[in-house]
């Protein structure tokens, strides 16, 4: 390790207002939310800015590296500070390389959970809208059925078709009926995407 990188690693053991940097990096992931997603990104970026590089871990036996990382995760920062310099630096590098992988995996999982939650709520919203519109759909079908029957009967009997229409529904109401039916056809669309707009702001917080 270069002297600059050694100094960066040493700074992990310096006291801060609420915890050491190492304690901050090892903090539990917490629930999936935009705030925790950004916190994960900050920690991952912090590790990557150190410039350790994944290739550095390939120079060590992988079983040995995993064992060092596992031991480092269980060691308090106070105990870690008592290690000899070389052992402490090696343990820190193992822990940081392990954390980089873990944070990346947790970010992917958290992103899946956030997207899944958004789509579930959007689907629930769509189902509620469908339930609300079911009665209206039934009413429109009933009126249109009566209108069709009236037109067929008028044609068979040689009556005026306009009169047959007005006997079921006035022209102004027919225009409203067509407009409402068109809107209902959009409401019953199979795609959940139109119902996700309510969570656009939340997604923007972490995207």
């Amino acid at each position: 390790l270069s002297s600059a990188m050694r100094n960066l690693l040493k700074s992990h053991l310096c006291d801060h207002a609420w915890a050491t940097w190492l304690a901050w990096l090892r903090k539990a992931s917490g629930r999936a939310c935009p705030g925790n997603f950004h916190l994960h990104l900050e920690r991952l970026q912090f590790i990557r800015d150190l410039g350790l590089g994944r290739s550095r871990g390939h120079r060590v036996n992988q079983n040995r590296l995993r064992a060092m990382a596992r031991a480092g995760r269980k060691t308090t920062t106070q105990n870690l500070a008592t290690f000899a310099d070389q052992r402490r630096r090696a343990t820190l590098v193992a822990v940081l390389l392990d954390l980089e992988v873990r944070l990346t995996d947790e970010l992917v999982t958290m992103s899946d959970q956030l997207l899944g939650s958004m789509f579930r709520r959007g689907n629930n919203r769509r189902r509620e809208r469908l339930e609300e519109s079911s009665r209206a759909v039934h009413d429109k079908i009933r009126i249109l059925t009566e209108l069709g029957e009236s037109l067929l009967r008028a044609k068979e009997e040689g009556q005026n078709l306009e009169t047959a229409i007005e006997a079921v529904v006035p022209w102004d109401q027919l225009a409203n009926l067509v407009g409402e039916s068109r809107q209902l056809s959009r409401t019953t669309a199979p795609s959940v995407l139109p119902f996700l707009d309510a969570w656009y702001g939340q997604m923007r917080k972490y995207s």
Side-chain angles (χ1 to χ4, degrees):
L1 297 177
S2 65
S3 59
M5 190 172 293
R6 291 178 183 179
N7 290 333
L8 281 173
L9 293 176
K10 185 177 180 181
S11 70
H12 281 64
L13 302 174
C14 295
D15 290 334
H16 288 264
W18 60 275
T20 64
W21 281 114
L22 186 57
W24 173 64
L25 290 170
R26 295 193 296 190
K27 184 179 179 182
S29 59
R31 67 184 183 89
C33 67
N36 284 335
F37 188 87
H38 280 292
L39 179 60
H40 264 49
L41 279 178
E42 290 175 10
R43 291 189 286 180
L44 181 60
Q45 190 60 51
F46 182 88
I47 294 175
R48 289 181 174 175
D49 287 343
L50 292 175
L52 294 174
R54 292 299 306 167
S55 60
R56 193 177 302 277
H58 297 160
R59 305 172 189 174
V60 183
N61 179 278
Q62 295 303 295
N63 290 332
R64 174 60 177 161
L65 186 64
R66 284 191 290 270
M68 291 176 62
R70 186 165 53 251
R73 289 197 303 269
K74 299 177 181 179
T75 304
T76 65
T77 53
Q78 292 81 5
N79 288 338
L80 193 58
T82 65
F83 286 8
D85 287 347
Q86 185 173 357
R87 181 187 176 191
R88 182 171 64 248
R89 286 194 295 268
T91 302
L92 279 172
V93 170
V95 169
L96 292 172
L97 291 176
D98 179 70
L99 278 172
E100 183 177 4
V101 174
R102 288 174 177 271
L103 287 172
T104 301
D105 291 343
E106 289 175 3
L107 277 169
V108 173
T109 300
M110 195 175 293
S111 179
D112 288 344
Q113 290 174 343
L114 287 169
L115 287 172
S117 175
M118 182 184 70
F119 273 86
R120 281 194 301 274
R121 286 182 289 179
N123 193 53
N124 289 339
R125 184 183 178 195
R126 172 179 172 274
R127 184 169 57 251
E128 291 171 359
R129 185 73 61 83
L130 289 175
E131 291 174 354
E132 292 172 358
S133 63
S134 61
R135 185 186 300 274
V137 170
H138 182 271
D139 290 341
K140 300 298 182 294
I141 292 176
R142 178 182 56 79
I143 295 174
L144 291 174
T145 300
E146 292 177 0
L147 181 60
E149 291 174 346
S150 179
L151 287 170
L152 291 172
R153 186 167 52 252
K155 182 180 180 180
E156 290 176 358
E157 298 175 358
Q159 298 178 357
N160 184 277
L161 297 182
E162 291 187 4
T163 302
I165 293 174
E166 292 180 343
V168 177
V169 57
W171 284 103
D172 57 339
Q173 293 184 20
L174 179 61
N176 292 334
L177 176 65
V178 172
E180 292 171 359
S181 298
R182 185 182 297 111
Q183 183 61 41
L184 285 172
S185 68
R186 294 170 182 168
T187 303
T188 56
S191 176
V192 71
L193 295 179
F195 299 90
L196 301 180
D197 58 330
W199 294 278
Y200 174 77
Q202 181 179 2
M203 297 306 296
R204 284 288 297 169
K205 292 180 182 179
Y206 94 97
S207 61

